[in-house]
């Protein structure tokens, strides 16, 4: 059975996430930059924070030809929206994440010695950076997003935002073991 029998997928060069590697040639060390704004795909987020579908993603990428393929490095910048993990208020903020991925040339040692899912492949001189962008953004999102770094959160007793309450806000809580004694003492003093 021949190796790498996985059928080649077709990449559409008109897709904003598909980049053409032909201008690089196969000369190790040749490099070009690619800056573009693309719409965010659906499902780019986690429970409390994400990038709404269609939000612009600014890609600032560097494509560099290497012996085994094309190395793509750069940044993805966008706006995230979510819910603060402390006070539950909605927020919006700037977000940027680094991307680094090697796309293997067909027939290279890397392509021949790795499984299809381990290293991305160049298909007909085209590379699809959407999976790389998706992975970088989703994995780079904060697990506990905050509306601001010094957010105090909510009062554990009344549920109000601590930032909206006066300094020293507290609730008198009586230890249940002493409650009967407290009732007796306050009842006898009246």
């Amino acid at each position: 059975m021949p190796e790498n029998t996985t059928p080649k997928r077709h990449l559409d060069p008109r897709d904003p996430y598909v980049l053409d590697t032909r201008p690089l040639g196969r000369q190790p060390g040749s490099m070009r930059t690619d800056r573009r704004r693309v719409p965010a795909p659906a499902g780019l987020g986690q429970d409390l924070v994400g990038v709404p579908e269609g939000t612009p993603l600014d890609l600032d990428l560097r494509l560099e030809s290497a012996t085994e393929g094309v190395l793509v490095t750069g940044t993805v910048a966008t706006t995230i929206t979510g819910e603060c993990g402390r006070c539950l208020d909605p927020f919006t903020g700037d977000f940027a994440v680094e991307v680094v991925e090697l796309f293997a040339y067909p027939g290279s040692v890397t392509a021949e010695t790795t499984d299809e899912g381990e290293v991305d492949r160049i298909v007909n001189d085209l590379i699809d950076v959407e999976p790389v962008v998706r992975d970088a953004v989703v994995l780079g999102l904060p697990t506990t997003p905050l509306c601001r770094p010094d957010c105090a959160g909510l009062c554990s007793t009344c549920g109000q935002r601590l930032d909206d309450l006066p300094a020293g806000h507290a609730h008198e809580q009586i230890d249940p073991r002493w409650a009967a004694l407290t009732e007796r003492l306050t009842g006898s003093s009246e």
Side-chain angles (χ1 to χ4, degrees), residues 54-129:
T55 300
L57 300 176
D58 293 319
L59 307 181
D60 185 3
L61 303 174
R62 175 178 155 164
L63 287 71
E64 187 172 354
S65 182
T67 305
E68 292 294 310
V70 174
L71 180 65
V72 177
T73 58
T75 58
V76 178
T78 189
T79 301
I80 59 173
T81 60
E83 191 174 89
C84 179
R86 290 183 186 159
C87 70
L88 306 178
D89 280 352
F91 75 93
T92 301
D94 293 332
F95 177 76
V97 66
E98 300 285 323
V99 293
V100 177
E101 189 72 22
L102 176 69
F103 291 83
Y105 288 128
S108 67
V109 173
T110 301
E112 299 296 327
T113 59
T114 58
D115 292 331
E116 185 74 24
E118 286 183 83
V119 176
D120 290 311
R121 307 292 201 267
I122 297 172
V123 178
N124 297 327
D125 294 319
L126 300 173
I127 57 176
D128 182 7
V129 297

Side-chain angles (χ1 to χ4, degrees), residues 146-160:
L146 301 176
C147 57
R148 57 182 205 286
D150 63 341
C151 176
L154 301 175
C155 173
S156 61
T157 304
C158 67
Q160 298 293 315

Side-chain angles (χ1 to χ4, degrees), residues 114-186:
T114 58
D115 292 331
E116 185 74 24
E118 286 183 83
V119 176
D120 290 311
R121 307 292 201 267
I122 297 172
V123 178
N124 297 327
D125 294 319
L126 300 173
I127 57 176
D128 182 7
V129 297
E130 182 178 354
V132 174
V133 168
R134 177 181 297 282
D135 289 349
V137 170
V138 172
L139 293 173
L141 290 171
T143 54
T144 305
L146 301 176
C147 57
R148 57 182 205 286
D150 63 341
C151 176
L154 301 175
C155 173
S156 61
T157 304
C158 67
Q160 298 293 315
R161 288 186 68 224
L162 290 172
D163 291 333
D164 296 340
L165 297 171
H169 171 77
H171 297 274
E172 185 178 331
Q173 292 182 330
I174 300 170
D175 187 329
R177 296 171 293 183
W178 296 101
L181 180 60
T182 304
E183 282 178 23
R184 194 171 176 135
L185 291 174
T186 56

